[in-house]
């Protein structure tokens, strides 16, 4: 028979569905007025169209055939099955024969095939009532008279923790990076500790225990001793074991109507709660709207707190239960608020609300659904929501101010970099004051007076402003200086006068008179050149195709160049088409490598099959590599010819000393002596001695190869600097 105290339906959220479990009577047997007990279960899913929960599957399992046994449903919740690595719904039942004094507990698992299977059984002389928790294993934990007990299929017995706690704050698992079962509670300090040790100032101390490691540790790493007597429940945001303690981030609800944010046992923020007697804390990740802490209280009261602003978002009263899961299947969490428990035998959810406190809201009552978007909510909820929004707005403004300060620092660094570049090109010595050395601290005492430092700071600020507000007076060697910013590239260009051609310390040169923007694009992009030709047919009009399907525009300053028209610099491409004859032409492409591959695919699709495309010239950097390779090849050839000349004499000598036929014993002895000489001569051939005159001729030939120089006209120069490194390359 089902006990009257536990006839209510038990619910659990699992993978976006709601599972309901209920104990019912079975069919009576012969000569019996009542049958055994059955556990019925249903899996219900939310449908957006009908705004109702529909039954996906259901079933029943016979618990007992005897009508003389009382059966109670203790708890149901999902837990991790370590064998399969998946979360499974778990149910704990309590059975008691009327003539027995003890209690038998049966632990069931709802399998993926929607069938109930018994997993574990154990007996106790008392009734489990407090802190029943299902954790990984699955492991069942509960408390009785200040002691924590646990059992699982692995331990095969009921065990108790070797500590006694005056109050239990948390029984659960650490976050995914640790994934360990932890018990946190408070313990009264002994009289000897209070009287003999000055460091013990609190009557209660935080104490923690790791179940798998069987390790007791000081709970102050998580919750300070001062809060151990007032904290009622906590929630772990993150946790990591460090040496003998923990590096953790938790929130704790206290009996003082406070939600406190702790980092490694240090309180960082406090939120005033609207109700008393908190019982549990959950977290819901609502996506772009942020994360919420859901605090449940006694008497059907709940409230939600924004994680970012740590302010109360909304409150609810007269709510039977709240579940957190992705009920609408959008990839983020929502809250399912039940106004009343489902009633047997149908166990349908008839009075509920699904919301993420943002754009997603569904309710079972049509009139509320129609007026919900009109913001006709309770006045107190409205005020709390406004306060939360104000707090989030203030956080956003603070973040914007921080970004503005960072941008100001970056601008100052860029200004100093440009000034350093101008001084370097102009041949002036650049001086950097201490005020512009961002984040640096002097390692020795400064001798200048404060007034001189302030005057120097004002002069440099005035000079920096004038440099960007008024034209810079450049020396005769510099004709023009300009800068452009493309994505994360800071491009600075310097146009030199003809008198500066004698300088040889400028390395990056291009021939290409044109505008600053065109030069910046050519500097930032990589360059490729292709040869298009057809042996028997005339080429297609490539220029018309670039301006048509490719949507390119002619560059005003140089109409020979065509530029694509995307929004922003990312994805831009620069083309230069030269038609040499009706049968062949040259196409120069300036873009990134990814854009080049996409462009070549489109080009090959456009060109007829009789046209061929071949790369014939590489970019400037690869040209330098090819020139260097040619120089190395010439050097190797000269070295090979010189060494061959050195070894030719030794080889001729070896050829002249060919062996002769032996006819007598004396000749044999002479042949043996000559053979020994040949061995010595062969050894010297492998490591020959070189004459002084021959070696001088070899070194002279190598010096002539090294005297070859690459001459490049020096009339325009571009320097490139990375914004994120804040440096200028000269």
């Amino acid at each position: 028979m089902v006990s009257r105290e536990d006839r209510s339906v038990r619910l659990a959220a699992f993978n976006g569905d709601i599972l309901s479990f209920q104990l019912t009577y079975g069919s009576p047997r012969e000569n019996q007025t009542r049958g055994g007990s059955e556990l019925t279960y249903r899996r219900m899913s939310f449908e957006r169209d009908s705004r109702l929960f529909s039954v996906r599957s259901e079933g029943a399992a016979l618990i007992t055939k005897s009508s003389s046994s009382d059966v109670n449903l203790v708890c149901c919740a999902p837990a991790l099955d370590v064998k399969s690595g998946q979360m499974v719904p778990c149910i704990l039942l309590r059975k008691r024969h009327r003539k027995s004094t003890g209690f038998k507990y049966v632990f069931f698992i709802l399998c993926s095939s929607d069938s109930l299977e018994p997993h574990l059984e154990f007996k106790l002389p008392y009734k489990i009532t407090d802190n029943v928790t299902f954790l990984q294993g699955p492991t069942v934990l509960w408390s009785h008279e200040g002691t924590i007990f646990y059992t699982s299929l692995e331990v095969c017995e009921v065990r108790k923790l070797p500590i006694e706690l005056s109050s239990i704050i948390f029984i659960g698992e650490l976050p995914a990076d640790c994934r360990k079962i932890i018990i946190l509670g408070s313990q009264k300090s002994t009289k000897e500790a209070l009287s003999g040790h000055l460091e013990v100032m609190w009557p209660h101390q935080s104490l923690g225990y790791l179940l798998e490691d069987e390790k007791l540790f000081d709970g102050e790493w998580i919750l300070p001793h001062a809060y151990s007597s007032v904290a009622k429940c906590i929630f772990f945001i993150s946790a990591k074991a460090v040496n003998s303690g923990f590096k953790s981030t938790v929130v704790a609800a206290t009996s003082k109507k406070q939600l406190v944010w702790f980092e490694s046992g240090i309180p960082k923020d406090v939120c005033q709660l609207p109700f008393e007697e908190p019982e549990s804390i959950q977290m819901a990740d609502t996506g772009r709207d942020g994360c919420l802490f859901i605090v449940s209280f006694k008497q059907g009261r709940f409230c939600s707190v924004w994680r970012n602003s740590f302010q109360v978002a909304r409150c609810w009263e007269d709510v039977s239960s709240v579940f957190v899961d992705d009920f609408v299947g959008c990839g983020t969490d929502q809250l399912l608020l039940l106004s009343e428990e489902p009633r047997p035998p149908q166990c349908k959810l008839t009075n509920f609300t699904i919301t993420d406190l943002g754009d997603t809201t569904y309710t079972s009552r049509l009139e509320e659904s129609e007026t919900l978007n009109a913001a006709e909510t309770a006045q107190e909820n409205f005020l709390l929501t406004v306060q939360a929004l104000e707090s989030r707005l203030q956080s956003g403004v603070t973040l914007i101010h921080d970004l503005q300060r960072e941008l100001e620092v970056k601008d100052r660094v860029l200004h100093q970099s440009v000034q350093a570049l101008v001084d370097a090109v102009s041949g002036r010595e650049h001086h950097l004051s201490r005020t512009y050395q961002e984040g640096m601290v002097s390692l020795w005492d400064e001798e200048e007076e404060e007034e001189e430092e302030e005057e120097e700071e004002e002069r440099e600020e005035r000079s920096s402003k004038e440099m960007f507000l008024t034209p810079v007076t450049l020396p005769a060697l510099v004709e023009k200086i300009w800068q452009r910013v493309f994505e994360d590239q800071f491009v600075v260009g310097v146009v030199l006068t003809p008198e500066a051609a004698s300088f040889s310390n400028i390395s990056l040169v291009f021939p290409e008179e044109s505008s600053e923007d065109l030069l910046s694009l050519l500097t930032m992009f990589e360059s490729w050149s292709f040869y298009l030709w057809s042996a028997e047919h005339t080429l297609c009009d490539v220029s018309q195709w670039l301006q048509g399907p490719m949507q390119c525009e002619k560059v005003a300053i140089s109409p020979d160049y065509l530029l694509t028209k995307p929004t922003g610099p990312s994805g831009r491409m620069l083309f230069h088409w030269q038609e040499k004859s009706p049968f062949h032409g040259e196409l120069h492409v300036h873009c990134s490598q990814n854009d080049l591959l996409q462009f070549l695919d489109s080009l090959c699709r456009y060109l007829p099959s009789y046209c061929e495309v071949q790369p014939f010239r590489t970019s400037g950097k690869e040209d330098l590599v090819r020139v260097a390779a040619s120089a190395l090849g010439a050097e190797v050839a000269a070295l090979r010819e010189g060494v061959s000349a050195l070894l030719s004499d030794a080889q001729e000598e070896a050829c002249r000393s060919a062996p002769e036929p032996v006819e007598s014993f004396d000749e044999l002895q002479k042949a043996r002596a000559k053979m020994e000489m040949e061995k010595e001569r062969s050894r010297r051939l492998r490591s020959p001695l070189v004459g002084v005159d021959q070696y001088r001729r070899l070194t002279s030939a190598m010096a002539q190869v090294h005297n070859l120089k690459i001459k490049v006209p020096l009339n325009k120069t571009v320097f490139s600097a990375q914004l994120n490194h804040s440096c200028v390359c000269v």
Side-chain angles (χ1 to χ4, degrees):
M1 124 178 201
V2 180
S3 175
R4 292 182 178 271
E5 64 183 15
D6 285 323
R7 285 183 180 176
S8 61
V9 179
R10 296 298 180 96
L11 302 178
F14 182 72
N15 289 344
D17 298 334
I18 290 294
L19 304 178
S20 67
F21 300 93
Q22 181 191 8
L23 287 169
T24 59
Y25 293 122
S27 301
R29 296 178 139 194
E30 295 181 1
N31 301 326
Q32 291 183 349
T33 57
R34 293 180 299 186
S37 301
E38 288 184 337
L39 177 63
T40 61
Y41 54 91
R42 289 183 175 88
R43 184 188 295 266
M44 296 176 287
S45 299
F46 180 72
E47 295 181 354
R48 297 186 183 183
D49 298 335
S50 62
R51 295 176 179 264
L52 296 174
F53 278 90
S54 61
V55 178
R56 285 180 51 189
S57 60
E58 57 184 344
L62 182 63
I63 303 302
T64 178
K65 298 180 181 179
S66 175
S67 61
S68 60
S69 298
D70 291 336
V71 182
N72 309 118
L73 203 161
V74 180
C75 182
C76 65
L80 177 65
D81 185 2
V82 294
K83 292 184 178 180
S84 63
Q86 297 180 348
M87 299 293 292
V88 292
C90 304
I91 306 96
L92 181 62
L93 299 179
R94 180 175 63 241
K95 297 167 51 176
R96 181 187 180 187
H97 196 272
R98 294 179 180 177
K99 298 180 180 181
S100 175
T101 58
F103 298 88
K104 180 180 180 181
Y105 292 87
V106 184
F107 187 79
F108 288 88
I109 288 180
L110 183 61
C111 300
S112 57
S113 58
D114 285 341
S115 60
L116 279 172
E117 294 184 359
H119 182 74
L120 179 67
E121 291 186 2
F122 57 95
K123 295 182 179 179
L124 295 174
Y126 56 86
K127 181 189 298 185
I128 296 178
T129 57
D130 298 331
N131 296 312
V132 184
T133 308
F134 300 158
L135 299 178
Q136 59 180 351
T139 304
V140 186
L141 297 95
W142 67 94
S143 64
H144 181 70
E145 296 181 353
T147 304
I148 305 295
F149 297 87
Y150 69 96
T151 184
S152 67
L153 195 62
E154 285 72 20
V155 300
C156 297
E157 62 178 351
V158 176
R159 297 180 180 178
K160 70 175 183 178
L161 266 63
I163 58 172
E164 292 186 1
L165 301 173
S166 56
S167 64
I168 299 172
I169 303 173
F170 179 78
I171 300 178
E173 299 175 5
L174 294 176
D177 51 354
C178 290
R179 201 75 184 182
K180 292 184 178 181
I181 297 177
I182 183 175
I183 295 94
L184 185 68
S186 65
Q187 191 178 60
K188 290 185 178 180
S189 300
T190 61
K191 295 181 179 180
E192 292 79 6
L194 289 173
S195 60
H197 296 81
L198 295 178
E199 64 270 19
V200 179
M201 297 183 296
W202 306 103
H204 292 80
Q205 291 185 337
S206 299
L207 199 63
Y209 186 81
L210 292 176
L211 187 63
E212 293 89 348
D213 301 338
E214 297 183 353
K215 179 181 178 182
L216 189 67
F217 63 92
D218 187 1
E220 193 174 19
W221 292 95
I222 300 174
L223 189 69
H225 298 318
Y227 287 85
S228 61
S229 60
V230 296
K232 298 302 180 182
C233 54
I234 69 170
F235 179 84
F236 277 88
I237 301 174
S238 64
K240 182 179 179 182
V242 178
N243 297 329
S244 60
F246 271 93
K247 183 179 181 181
S248 63
T249 302
V250 301
V251 290
T254 69
S255 58
K256 304 297 183 180
K257 296 178 63 175
Q258 290 179 337
L259 186 67
V260 188
W261 181 291
F262 295 96
E263 293 181 3
S264 298
I266 301 175
K268 296 294 184 178
D269 202 353
V270 177
C271 174
Q272 194 68 29
L273 297 176
F275 307 119
E276 297 179 346
E277 298 181 329
E279 291 184 327
S280 65
I281 304 174
Q282 304 179 72
M283 190 173 74
D285 185 0
T286 60
R288 62 181 182 180
D289 294 327
C291 293
L292 290 167
F293 296 114
I294 313 301
V295 186
S296 62
F297 304 84
K298 291 184 179 180
Q299 300 178 353
R301 295 176 177 179
F302 296 84
C303 80
S304 58
V305 178
W306 290 113
R307 173 178 173 175
N308 293 337
S309 62
F310 216 55
Q311 296 290 328
V312 175
R314 190 171 296 181
C315 303
W316 300 275
E317 296 188 59
D318 299 327
V319 175
S320 61
S321 56
V322 174
F323 299 96
V324 177
D325 211 323
D326 184 12
F327 300 103
V328 301
C330 65
T332 57
D333 292 336
Q334 306 94 43
L335 308 181
L336 172 61
L337 295 92
L338 300 180
S339 299
E340 59 183 9
E341 295 288 349
R343 299 177 180 177
Q346 293 83 7
C347 296
K348 293 183 178 180
L349 304 180
T350 57
N351 195 352
F352 63 88
T353 299
I354 297 177
T355 180
D356 62 355
L357 303 189
D359 299 333
T360 303
T361 300
Y362 296 92
T363 180
S364 59
R365 290 173 290 186
L366 183 60
E367 63 277 6
E368 288 188 4
S369 178
E370 292 176 350
T371 59
L372 191 60
N373 293 332
E376 296 181 0
T377 56
Q379 183 65 20
E380 61 184 47
N381 288 342
F382 174 76
L383 293 177
L384 290 172
T385 303
V386 171
Q387 292 176 0
L389 291 176
E390 290 178 350
S391 177
R392 295 179 68 184
L393 180 61
Q394 183 64 34
S395 300
V397 172
T398 303
L399 179 60
I400 291 176
H401 289 167
D402 294 340
L403 292 176
Q404 288 177 346
R405 285 194 294 268
E406 292 180 3
L407 288 176
E408 291 175 358
V409 173
K410 183 177 291 186
D411 289 340
R412 290 199 299 270
V413 173
L414 286 177
H415 294 172
Q416 285 295 311
S417 301
V418 174
Q419 183 64 47
L421 175 62
V422 173
D423 292 342
V425 174
S426 304
R428 296 194 300 264
E429 184 179 359
H430 180 70
H431 298 281
L432 184 64
S433 67
R434 292 186 304 277
T435 56
Y436 281 97
Q437 296 174 0
E438 301 293 337
M440 298 183 181
V441 179
S442 177
L443 298 180
W444 57 85
D445 295 334
E446 300 292 342
E447 297 180 357
E448 289 80 5
E449 298 292 335
E450 293 183 358
E451 296 180 358
E452 296 179 357
E453 294 178 357
E454 293 177 357
E455 292 177 359
E456 184 179 358
E457 180 180 354
E458 292 178 358
R459 279 199 307 272
E460 297 207 0
E461 288 182 356
R462 190 162 53 248
S463 174
S464 177
K465 292 180 180 179
E466 292 175 354
M467 181 177 64
F468 286 92
L469 295 177
T470 61
V472 180
T473 303
L474 300 176
L477 298 180
V478 179
E479 181 178 327
K480 187 178 182 182
I481 296 179
W482 49 268
Q483 61 271 347
R484 290 292 186 273
V485 176
F486 289 95
E487 295 182 341
D488 61 344
Q489 296 285 336
F490 179 53
V491 182
V492 178
V494 179
V495 180
L496 301 179
T497 59
E499 291 78 4
S502 60
F503 286 87
S504 59
N505 59 345
I506 307 299
S507 58
L508 299 178
V509 182
F510 44 75
E512 298 170 73
E513 290 285 346
S514 57
S515 69
E516 289 82 354
D517 293 329
L518 181 59
L519 290 178
S520 300
L521 288 175
L522 292 177
T523 303
M524 183 179 67
F525 289 149
E526 298 183 36
S527 176
W528 289 271
S529 299
F530 300 94
Y531 183 71
L532 281 65
W533 66 282
S534 174
E536 300 178 355
H537 301 79
T538 58
L539 285 175
C540 301
D541 193 346
V542 178
S543 177
Q544 183 179 2
W545 175 71
L546 291 174
Q547 299 181 56
M550 290 298 293
Q551 298 182 355
C552 297
E553 289 183 348
K554 291 184 177 181
V555 179
I557 192 67
S558 181
D560 293 337
Y561 284 93
L562 299 175
L563 183 65
T564 55
K565 300 184 298 183
T567 58
S570 179
R572 284 185 178 271
M573 302 181 69
L574 193 65
F575 304 99
H576 185 249
W577 166 249
Q578 292 179 330
E579 185 175 341
K580 301 297 183 180
S581 73
F583 300 97
H584 73 279
E586 297 179 3
L587 179 62
H588 304 274
V589 184
H590 305 270
C591 64
S592 63
Q593 188 173 1
N594 293 335
D595 295 335
L596 176 69
L597 296 178
Q598 298 179 2
F599 168 73
L600 289 179
D601 180 70
S602 302
L603 178 62
C604 293
R605 292 176 183 272
Y606 165 71
L607 294 176
S609 58
Y610 52 78
C611 293
E612 294 189 12
V613 180
Q614 295 182 353
F616 75 97
R617 190 162 60 89
T618 57
S619 61
K621 295 181 180 178
E622 296 179 356
D623 285 340
L624 294 178
V625 174
R626 185 171 58 185
V627 171
S630 300
L632 289 176
E635 182 177 348
V636 171
L639 183 61
R640 181 179 56 191
E641 293 177 358
V643 173
S644 298
L646 294 177
L647 299 179
S648 61
D649 296 340
Q651 292 176 353
E652 291 177 0
E653 182 181 356
C655 293
R656 289 195 299 268
S657 60
E660 298 178 356
V662 178
E663 296 180 355
S664 63
F665 179 77
D666 294 337
E667 292 178 354
L668 178 60
Q669 294 294 335
K670 294 179 180 179
R672 287 177 178 175
K674 186 178 293 187
M675 185 180 298
E676 294 297 330
M677 296 175 62
E678 291 297 331
K679 288 183 179 179
E680 181 64 21
R681 185 181 294 109
S682 176
R683 185 187 63 79
R684 291 197 303 267
L685 183 62
R686 290 193 296 270
S687 301
L689 296 177
V690 180
V692 176
D693 295 337
Q694 292 176 327
Y695 182 74
R696 285 177 178 174
R697 288 195 297 269
L698 175 61
T699 55
S700 177
M702 295 300 297
Q704 292 179 3
V705 174
H706 290 166
N707 286 336
L708 294 178
K709 296 182 179 179
I710 303 173
K711 297 182 179 180
V712 183
L714 301 173
N715 56 348
K716 295 179 183 64
T717 306
V718 168
F719 302 91
S720 177
Q722 292 285 349
L723 282 178
N724 52 357
H725 294 296
S726 300
C727 66
V728 175
C729 301
V730 180

